[in-house]
Amino acid sequence: MSDLLKYFQTRQQEMVDFLTTLVNFETPTLDKVHVDKLGAFLEEQFRSLGASSVTRITQEKVGDMLLAKWNEDAPGKPIMFLIHIDTVWPIGTLAERPVKIDENGVLFGPGAVDMKGGITLAVWSIRGLVERGELPNRPIWILMTSDEEVGSIYSEKTIHDVAAKAGLVLVMEPATKEEALKTWRKGVGSYTVTVEGRPSHAGNAPEQGINAVIELAQQALKLNQLNDLKNGTSVSVTVFHGGSATNVIPAKATAEVDVRTLTEKDWNNIQQKIMDVTPFVPGAKVSVSPGHVRGPMEHN
Ligand SMILES: [Zn+2]
């Protein structure tokens, strides 16, 4: 094992060439034809690296996904690499920003960090171990998806199903700025708070109105009190809309809220508090609807 680093250092140029090849495939998520070209290239790579099976999971709207397996009959739960081959960059970005390597030897190109660099590491880890005859005697899987940049909407179920069978999943997303491996992340949720009041003329009959902005302002302050930053919980009211005209008591107001927690326990606790709203202003109706919500992945 001790000479592994040295071994991979001797292959560095080949890895850089491989990464350059990957970046030179432009793969915006919703351009199936282009994404499938990179998928086909990687399928070939997996087969040439001796995968015992490569299963295609066909998709209509996005690129086909692949599940490649090595040593699939070996004992133990699989070690799985999770990669995605799509990027956020539209076709044509490459012409404007071709791959370049600066004077410090850092490679730049659309999608190089997220995550064609990660794909390079996964493929070359396997290639190196195969060439050295040191592939561990347990199943090694690569699950390749194609829709991460739109929220993994088509692959989410497959990821859940396949990853549940693995003993260890290495998500090949970029590391932190300090190049550390991420082994946990916070839960993230967004919520919309809507208040319905009653409109009325602010000059003639203000007392007949139910002021949705005043109600929502108090809800916002209450939400703000849920912050517990030292324990990793943040509750941020980030967008606030309300009212229709200067002389009308506002009948409607909405706010958006961003919530993050470190632990599952805080996550459940905070969700309950956010969803449980009692109006401050008599007659106001307050409702909360969750948007994109993903619970925390705690360190374990
Ligand atoms: Zn990514």
Side-chain angles (χ1 to χ4, degrees):
M1 286 291 278
S2 58
D3 63 336
L4 264 182
L5 178 62
K6 222 167 136 197
Y7 171 83
F8 281 105
Q9 280 168 340
T10 65
R11 313 303 297 273
Q12 189 168 332
Q13 186 57 48
E14 283 171 86
M15 293 168 74
V16 169
D17 293 344
F18 186 83
L19 173 56
T20 305
T21 302
L22 296 187
V23 174
N24 282 337
F25 282 93
E26 291 191 281
T27 52
T29 314
L30 296 175
D31 189 331
K32 177 173 169 60
V33 172
H34 278 89
V35 177
D36 276 342
K37 283 183 190 164
L38 178 53
F41 171 79
L42 283 171
E43 181 170 1
E44 232 179 78
Q45 295 290 316
F46 299 155
R47 290 191 192 282
S48 77
L49 289 175
S52 47
S53 72
V54 182
T55 308
R56 180 181 293 259
I57 305 155
T58 50
Q59 300 293 312
E60 268 174 38
K61 300 224 164 71
V62 294
D64 290 349
M65 303 189 252
L66 295 175
L67 176 58
K69 297 181 176 178
W70 286 259
N71 283 349
E72 56 190 303
D73 298 324
K77 283 190 163 188
I79 297 171
M80 176 176 135
F81 292 100
L82 179 58
I83 62 173
H84 69 84
I85 57 171
D86 59 317
T87 71
V88 295
W89 304 103
I91 299 286
T93 308
L94 202 57
E96 287 164 27
R97 294 200 291 117
V99 173
K100 67 156 202 216
I101 296 173
D102 75 2
E103 63 280 9
N104 300 315
V106 179
L107 186 148
F108 292 87
V113 166
D114 185 7
M115 65 149 60
K116 287 169 177 173
I119 298 173
T120 303
L121 289 177
V123 169
W124 275 84
S125 309
I126 293 177
R127 173 163 294 157
L129 294 173
V130 166
E131 282 179 5
R132 293 165 58 94
E134 290 178 0
L135 205 62
N137 186 32
R138 64 187 282 174
I140 313 277
W141 293 359
I142 293 183
L143 178 60
M144 182 197 91
T145 72
S146 54
D147 63 340
E148 197 273 346
E149 301 294 359
V150 295
S152 300
I153 43 180
Y154 302 103
S155 61
E156 186 172 357
K157 191 180 176 302
T158 304
I159 294 171
H160 275 281
D161 292 351
V162 176
K165 295 176 193 145
L168 170 72
V169 178
L170 293 163
V171 179
M172 300 309 288
E173 286 289 339
T176 65
K177 248 194 165 151
E178 297 75 33
E179 301 187 350
L181 184 70
K182 285 178 202 160
T183 53
W184 61 272
R185 64 153 172 73
K186 283 186 166 186
V188 186
S190 64
Y191 299 83
T192 305
V193 184
T194 306
V195 177
E196 278 176 65
R198 186 167 62 214
S200 188
H201 195 283
N204 298 340
E207 73 286 356
Q208 285 175 24
I210 296 172
N211 194 321
V213 166
I214 295 299
E215 171 64 36
L216 188 60
Q218 292 179 87
Q219 293 292 343
L221 292 173
K222 195 183 115 186
L223 286 164
N224 196 52
Q225 284 172 359
L226 297 177
N227 273 300
D228 182 8
L229 299 182
K230 70 176 191 305
N231 289 311
T233 296
S234 63
V235 178
S236 311
V237 179
T238 48
V239 179
F240 198 108
H241 291 295
S244 56
T246 309
N247 59 353
V248 177
I249 301 294
K252 202 175 170 194
T254 58
E256 287 178 39
V257 187
D258 176 288
V259 178
R260 307 193 183 219
T261 77
L262 218 50
T263 67
E264 188 86 35
K265 191 168 155 260
D266 290 341
W267 180 256
N268 295 331
N269 189 13
I270 207 94
Q271 294 219 86
Q272 213 171 16
K273 284 186 177 150
I274 286 170
M275 298 303 290
D276 172 31
V277 277
T278 315
F280 292 89
V281 176
K285 282 188 204 133
V286 187
S287 62
V288 182
S289 58
H292 192 75
V293 170
R294 214 162 258 177
M297 191 177 87
E298 284 187 47
H299 202 284
N300 64 18

